[in-house]
């Protein structure tokens, strides 16, 4: 079955944020979109050596980056919001993943207002074991028009 145009939009957003970035967001270029509906985003990836700390576990900063990225895409699914900027983010680390582990990142936009958006995310192993829980508040302010193309978004807009 062909992917919906809405799902393709989500895949474009993820690609734009992680693979077309020249900056830090490229660290998550192995992430794959598995579900994208209004207010929700689910991604998966296999943890690689490049995602670990000296102890061989998934790095806490990388875990926080996953919460940031996937909640941002969930927020953007609710309408023509820009990625925005983080106002507050918390991550509770419950267990660690290791290289080769498949992880699932499930994010929900709780509320998207005119200037602030609130979201949450869970990161789990493929077997359902929870690794981390995060909450993320973003300033989304300025909205895009419906005809704005991803390539027209400038870093100064975010």
């Amino acid at each position: 079955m062909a992917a919906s145009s809405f799902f393709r939009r989500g895949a474009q957003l993820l690609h734009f944020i992680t693979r077309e970035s020249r900056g830090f967001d490229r660290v998550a270029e192995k992430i794959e979109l598995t579900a994208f509906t209004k207010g929700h985003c689910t991604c998966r990836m296999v943890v690689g050596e490049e995602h670990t700390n000296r102890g061989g576990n998934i790095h806490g900063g990388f875990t926080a980056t996953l919460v940031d990225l996937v909640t941002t895409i969930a927020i953007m699914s609710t309408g023509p919001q820009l990625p925005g900027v983080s106002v507050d983010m918390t991550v509770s680390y419950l267990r660690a993943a290791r290289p080769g582990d498949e992880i699932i990142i499930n994010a929900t936009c709780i509320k998207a207002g005119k200037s602030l958006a609130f979201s949450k995310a869970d990161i789990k192993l493929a077997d359902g074991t929870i690794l981390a829980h995060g909450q993320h508040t973003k300033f989304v302010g300025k909205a895009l028009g419906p005809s704005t193309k991803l390539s027209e978004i400038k870093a100064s807009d975010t």
Side-chain angles (χ1 to χ4, degrees):
M1 180 162 91
S4 73
S5 61
F6 193 75
F7 182 86
R8 282 192 302 277
R9 172 74 173 156
Q12 288 175 327
L13 286 170
L14 180 64
H15 186 271
F16 176 76
I17 291 171
T18 61
R19 291 169 185 89
E20 291 185 23
S21 169
R22 290 187 225 178
F24 182 76
D25 291 334
R26 288 190 66 89
V27 72
E29 66 186 354
K30 291 185 178 178
I31 195 169
E32 300 171 20
L33 187 70
T34 59
F36 184 70
T37 58
K38 187 172 183 175
H40 301 279
C41 179
T42 302
C43 295
R44 67 164 295 281
M45 69 169 286
V46 175
V47 177
E49 294 285 336
E50 67 273 26
H51 306 124
T52 62
N53 59 24
R54 291 177 191 240
N57 297 314
I58 191 169
H59 193 284
F62 183 69
T63 301
T65 297
L66 292 175
V67 169
D68 183 356
L69 288 171
V70 180
T71 56
T72 296
I73 293 175
I75 289 167
M76 292 179 77
S77 75
T78 65
Q81 270 96 2
L82 289 171
V85 293
S86 297
V87 173
D88 183 53
M89 187 169 74
T90 60
V91 180
S92 297
Y93 302 92
L94 307 170
R95 292 199 163 175
R98 305 214 24 107
D101 286 344
E102 179 181 353
I103 59 172
I104 310 298
I105 310 99
N106 187 36
T108 301
C109 179
I110 300 164
K111 180 181 190 270
K114 291 181 182 178
S115 60
L116 292 176
F118 304 87
S119 59
K120 64 181 181 175
D122 285 319
I123 300 176
K124 298 178 180 182
L125 290 173
D127 71 5
T129 303
I130 189 155
L131 303 173
H133 174 77
Q135 295 184 343
H136 194 192
T137 304
K138 294 193 89 166
F139 174 77
V140 291
K142 182 178 168 185
L144 298 174
S147 64
T148 303
K149 296 178 184 169
L150 289 172
S151 60
E152 295 172 349
I153 301 173
K154 296 180 179 75
S156 60
D157 291 334
T158 58

